[in-house]
Amino acid sequence: MNGSNGEERVVHEVAMVVPKRVLEEEGNCVEVLVTELKKRGMVVDRVVGLADEFLKVAAPLETLGNAAAELHIRKPTRLGIDLPFEMQGSEAFFRQPDGLLFSWFERFRCYQHLLYGIVNCGGYDVTLKLDGREFCWAAGESLVRRLESEGVIKQMFPLHDEFKRKELLQTWALNWWNFTNQPTDQIYSYFGAKIGVYFSFLGMYTQWLIFPALLGFIVQMVDFGSLQFLALPSFFVSTILWAALFLQFWKRKNAALLARWQINCLVGPSQGYRFLGMEWSSLPFPKELIKNIGDERSKEKAAYQRYEWFAYRKRFRNDVLVIMSIICLQLPFELAYAHIYEIIKSDVVKYILTAIYLLVIQYLTRLGGKVSVKLINREINESVEYRANSLIYKVFGLYFMQTYIGIFYHVLLHRNFMTLRQVLIQRLIISQVFWTLMDGSLPYLKYSYRKYKARTKKKREGGSSTGKIQIASRVEKEYFKPTYSASIGVELEDGLFDDSLELALQFGMIMMFACAFPLAFALAAVSNIMEIRTNALKLLVTLRRPLPRAAATIGAWLNIWQHSWYAYMTKKANGRSNQGSLQFSSWNMYSCF
């Protein structure tokens, strides 16, 4: 149920994929499902596709309100306190920035509650049929879960709201004249808090890049004569202050966004992750441990200490495995590439070598990321948020090594300033082209391939046909679109993982090697402007609508940004004390002047 200024309109926000009906039979499970959905107060629209049937589900405001009351969702009121939602007093609760009573995250929770809350309350088993096959719907069992286990419900996914999607296309994805200005509130209302916070961060970061980009352009292009030796030291001092101010002002903006979006988030080591009345609680302790905990306080304390030590030991073991894999497997490959790059004379061959290197390393790092996911699944973390942060740190370590080890090799061994600058230019340009092609082309190719397979299958089933088979329904087109998932898997993170990783690697490169190539800030600003539009088109056109994720900040990525800035500042300070030494690092390259 959506609308503007309180006006209500029925919007189908969830789709269910079921087989097409072949036989007319009593007790057909799809017919029973449709009947039960309508009994729950939902609106169902049935669409027949090429190979499957689609059930588009919408929930009126009253149905969503009753589900929110059953879930005890706490919402801010005009009295200034958060109270469990009640449909009778809905006027007392604040509305979302788009005028709706519930956010997309809250609505999706209500949909899940409504769909999976359809249970057999008759007190006896019900026989369901599908094309001659029979199975039992037990008393007290969820109908949707039963149909999923039997393969009747193939998929369930959120649907795009065509009215809001076209509006976002005009005001966001195709509005190039606004550069970094984005309709943040509309993005939050449509995609949820996590994507809204990310694009707000990306827009602010790109706006703040304008100052160091102009300053770097002046330092790179202007000859200061006798004061030239002060240009680079002044530039890196300015970039340090810029980064510190940016991170602090982002925290203030993030708090302002949460207040405007009426998000009350509490994160604590013992509380799990609470968000809008939903708790990502701590992982359960093993049953063997719970049984061994006695009534005496000393035994209980010892049991918890053993459990905590066991968790630390597993995390330490996994960290050692990741570090050793980098040293033994990835480091030799990186050093070999850096050495071959140094001995090659042709610039064209260097560009080709860099492109091949980036393609190969993407496969290796994705493989390492999937291994990291498997290792984290064997860890004992306090909550899902801790597991996600652990994954971010491990995968970032892999990508950090593959991104910077070759550059460090040029700095520490060859000490060739011009070669280092050339490497930075090639990395920034090729990486941007590579990520843009990956973001824009891969989802479209997957979508086209799935449509081609469906049409080919339909032609084989229908015999020879001279006409072209068209896919008319929009819900079937969305069914063929790929999901917004991370390259390392969907266990803990969605597609924002790859986008945030790309941004963190860019920030590290332009900060650590700013003095070697001051124009890197300008290239980063242009790259981010392109990134905003390509990501917007990807989310609105080539991908399914993402599932809403609970988030109030950019999470562990902010820690990575802060540590990148701190390492940059520390190395710069250490570099000033060793200007007379030949053992200088990439952070004090300005001393060669």
Side-chain angles (χ1 to χ4, degrees), residues 335-364:
L335 295 179
Y337 159 75
H339 179 72
I340 295 174
Y341 184 91
E342 189 67 25
I343 62 177
I344 292 177
K345 302 301 182 182
S346 174
D347 291 338
V348 176
V349 177
K350 287 182 178 181
Y351 271 98
I352 296 175
L353 177 65
T354 303
I356 296 174
Y357 158 79
L358 290 176
L359 289 174
V360 174
I361 209 63
Q362 283 295 320
Y363 174 78
L364 294 177

